[in-house]
Each structure stands twice: as C-alpha cells, then as structure tokens.
Amino acid sequence: MTSDINNVKASESDLAAVYKSYFEGNFKEALLALDKLTHDFPNDPILYIVGGDCYVPLNQYERAISCYEEAIKLSPNNIKAYTKKINVLRLNGDLEKSLLACSQALKISPNNADLYFYQANVLSDKFEFIKALDSYDKSIKLNSKNADAFCNKANTLENLREFDEAIISAKNAIKIKPDFSLAFFNLGIAAMQSRNFNLSKNSFDEAIKLEPNFAKYKFAKATLLLLFGDFKNGWNLFESRWDLEKLFSPKLKTNRQEWNGRRKCKLLVWGEQGVGDQVMYSALFNELNNKCESFVVQVEPRLIPLLTRSFGHLCSFYPENKPVPFDYDEHIAMGSLCKYFRNEEKDFDNSRFGFLKDDEFRTAEIKKDILSLIPKNNKICGISWRSVSPKTGIHKTLSLKKFIQMLALDGYSFLNLQYGDTKNEIKEVKKELGIDIISYEKIDNFNDIDGLTSLIQVCDTVVSIDNITCQLSGALGKEVHVLLTYGSWWGWMVNRNDSPWYNSVKIYRQEEDITWPNLFKKIKKNLQKFD
C-alpha cells in the first residue's frame, strides 16, 4: 500500500490486523504490523498512539512515551495522546515529567475532568496530598459521576488524617459504582482509622467478596482484627502479606517446607519487615525453643549483637538476605510465629516484662559519663521526636523545640535517643529555650542499635513518638511513654493505655479532641506523681 497527500491516515481496515493482534495479547506482532503502516502513513498520530499502547504491556515504557510524544508532535492538541503519556510517565516513575504533561494538556483543555484526575493521582504519588485533594475536587466538580475520583480522593483524605471525610468520599464512590471493591477497601481503611470496627469489617468483607483472591484486602482485614484484639483470626489472615503485590520485605527463597508449629526439627527463622518488628517478634524465641529441636535466626545485621546477648543460649543469629551457612529442615518467617504463640492476650504474659539484655558494662560506662554532665539530683529522660516514614512520619514527627516546650519537666535532664542528624535542632533548643539536650557522641543511634539500648537503659524514663525507640524500650522493660497520632499503627491496638507486648509501655493517644499539648500534660502529671 502507498500513501499520497490525500491519504495521510490509515483506515480501519488497514488497522484491523493490528487491533486483532493487540486484543489477542500478541503485542509484538501488532508492533510489526504497525511498522509497515507507519512507513505508509508516517503522519498518522493514531498509529503512534496504538504503538505506545503495545509497548506498555511489554513494560517498555520509554518506547511507549516516545510513541505518544511523536503523536503529540503530529497532533499538538491531541488530549488522548497527552493522557496516555501522563499515565505512562507515572508508571515509569517520572512524576515531575508527568505533572508537566498534565499542565501542558490542561492549557489545551482546561475543563477536562480526566486531566485533573490524572494530575491528582500523580500528586498523591508524590505525597503532595493537599494539592492532590484540590485536583480531585476540580475533577469531581467537572464530572460528579466519576467513581474513581471519589475513591482516590478517599485515599488522599485518609493520608491527610481526614477520616470522616474519607468515609464520605468512599461512600460516594460506592453509590455511583456499587460493585467497586477498591472503594469498599478505602472505606474500610478510613473506618478502621476512625476505630469504627463494624463499618471497617463489613467494608473489607465486601471488598473480599468482590475480589476474593486480592491479598491487599485480606491483609487490611488482618490488621483490623489485630488492632481490636482478635489475635487468632488476625494472625491467620496476616499470612496474606506474602501475596501482596509489594512485599514489606523479601520472602525467603527455599525449597524446604514451612514449619507447621508442631514438628521437632532444625528450624530456620528468618527476619522480615523492619527493625522494630523484628525486636517485637523476638519475644517469641523462648517459647519456640520448647517446640523445635533447634533453631537459628536471620535478622537485620544491626540487631545481631543485642539478640545474641539476649538469646544466644537458645540459638545463633546471622545477617538476613544472605545465603545461610548451615543446613535446616524447615523454615518460618519471624512474624508467622505469632499464629502459634500469641492467640490470646494471656499468651503475651510469657514475655511482656522485658526480654532483651543490654551490655551492662557498656551501660555502666555510659551512665558514668552522662551523670558527670547533669545536676546531681536530676533524673534522666530519654527523648525521641522524629520518624522518617515517608507516609506516616509527617504526622508523627514533632520539632524538638515544640517537643521540649510541651514536655518541660523540672528535675530532669534530657538525653537524645533520636537517630539521624539532630545537631541543628539541639542548638536551636539551647539558644531559644536555654535547655541542654545531651547527645552521646560515642554512639550512632541509627547504626549502633546495641549502643542505643545502653543509652535507653541509662534513662529513668523515656518519652517518644512511635518509632524504634518505643520497641527497644519496651523490650528492655524500660518505662516508656509513647505518643500516638490519631489512626496509629495497628500493633498498639485501641481503647487501652498499655500494650500486651510490653508491660513498661504507657500509651497516650491523640484523638479528634485530644491534641499534642493535652498528651504532654498527661505525661507530666504521671511522671510527677512518682517523683
């Protein structure tokens, strides 16, 4: 076939073979057919759009983007090409370029609801939730029947801790599209964060009913059950975490079978999730020792000295995610031990009174150094005020200045337990408040977890937002006052000011009508009660 000046676009019959291959999933064949057509019709933007569509399922995003850009060159006002480019740039992780494409397209079509929707999705990916919310609202104003916009807006509101509004938005999505499983999931998440158990459970159940094989929905229900203390059902459903699209941590690759909680054998226990999670799960090792012939544990390398001192009489510890230098019969993920050892609250009594051991000699040396820096009769209060979690850290984190202003304890000296660079904040507090925060420079609070445990043991008490400091303090049996934001991590549960995991933990929960200053007043009152 040849083209001429009046025959610049391919006909439907020309494209029939391409579409046939595309819809049959034969994308490479479709691209071969397109190559011939683009030779005959080099100025047809549709061919480049279809070409991009073929490259996307092949995960060849750069080529797909090039195709859409070529289509835009040929047809500068082609919103279809722009929207496809926007979404593939997002898939490729090029969020800034995706936003730029959104802006360019909106100049061409300023009242396009879909463009605002795509813009909001990208902004949400960038954790720019306030801007994302504004774009979702603009999209909904232009098209109030877009269930996806209401659904994604609910997720953004949840990230902004606007849980009641998130519930409303998710319900609006369901009203438009009654079989919308993702909307039921978002409704369940928002209801869970609002501590509305029945609404949350019913929403998750409906999402699972609509998509029974989607692990994300099952895992969400697991966290809900654990949050409200249904340990037996919660831990069983917690196994769905290994079927998630994005794992919290890599799963062990092995051809050995998983331990069923009964067989006496040589067992490999492998670490998962973060340092705090591994500290929490290590509480189960004493009970595990009575159930298997022998066991070894792979953990985050920073924990090895601490765990070896605490449990070395039971097992050996090795770095996680490295080849295991020993033979074993069966294996189990550390968190999966819970379904065998923590099915009722009374089960937690076996370990909740402290199970980690600090280096007593090192602790004594540090305490000697610290005491030489503070007034003779002062007590030591360890403090941690920051979280680096990309999603939740912004809600949990306080500035050190604000933290100290609200805490303002008489008769206490403050010891820095915070990991990361804290020098500027400490200087600010000294300059503006006249208060010294002691930083023990011989210990790196992030890399030297064993040293951090000694710092914690030096303290008379600890006050911290929700981070690794709380887990370590609780596991050491050190009194720790934990400040929780509204809608906090499921492991701290609900409707209680203590923790089944750690007897020494005292919880202060931020609620809709309880602000940070109110929580600090409670902490001060409790500390002064025992002074």
Side-chain angles (χ1 to χ4, degrees), residues 136-154:
Y136 283 129
D137 285 339
K138 288 177 179 176
S139 178
I140 290 167
K141 185 176 180 180
L142 291 164
N143 178 11
S144 61
K145 299 298 182 182
N146 186 346
D148 290 313
F150 279 109
C151 179
N152 290 9
K153 178 184 175 181

Side-chain angles (χ1 to χ4, degrees), residues 399-429:
S399 70
L400 176 58
K401 179 182 174 182
K402 186 175 181 180
F403 190 98
I404 294 298
Q405 283 176 321
M406 289 188 289
L407 191 54
L409 288 170
D410 293 327
Y412 282 85
S413 294
F414 298 109
L415 178 60
N416 176 22
L417 303 178
Q418 179 63 52
Y419 51 83
D421 186 2
T422 60
K423 291 181 180 178
N424 289 337
E425 283 193 279
I426 288 173
K427 287 180 181 177
E428 179 187 31
V429 167

Side-chain angles (χ1 to χ4, degrees), residues 5 43 53 55 64 73 126 156 189 194 216 245 256 338 411-412 437 469 489 519:
I5 194 167
N43 296 319
D53 292 348
Y55 280 121
K73 286 180 183 177
K126 285 170 59 63
T156 295
I189 292 292
S194 293
K216 180 178 180 179
E245 291 180 1
R256 308 294 172 88
C338 295
Y412 282 85
I437 309 295
T469 305
W489 174 59
L519 297 184

Side-chain angles (χ1 to χ4, degrees), residues 28-42:
K28 291 183 179 180
E29 288 184 17
L31 286 167
L32 288 173
L34 276 170
D35 281 343
K36 297 177 182 178
L37 288 176
T38 51
H39 175 76
D40 293 328
F41 304 99

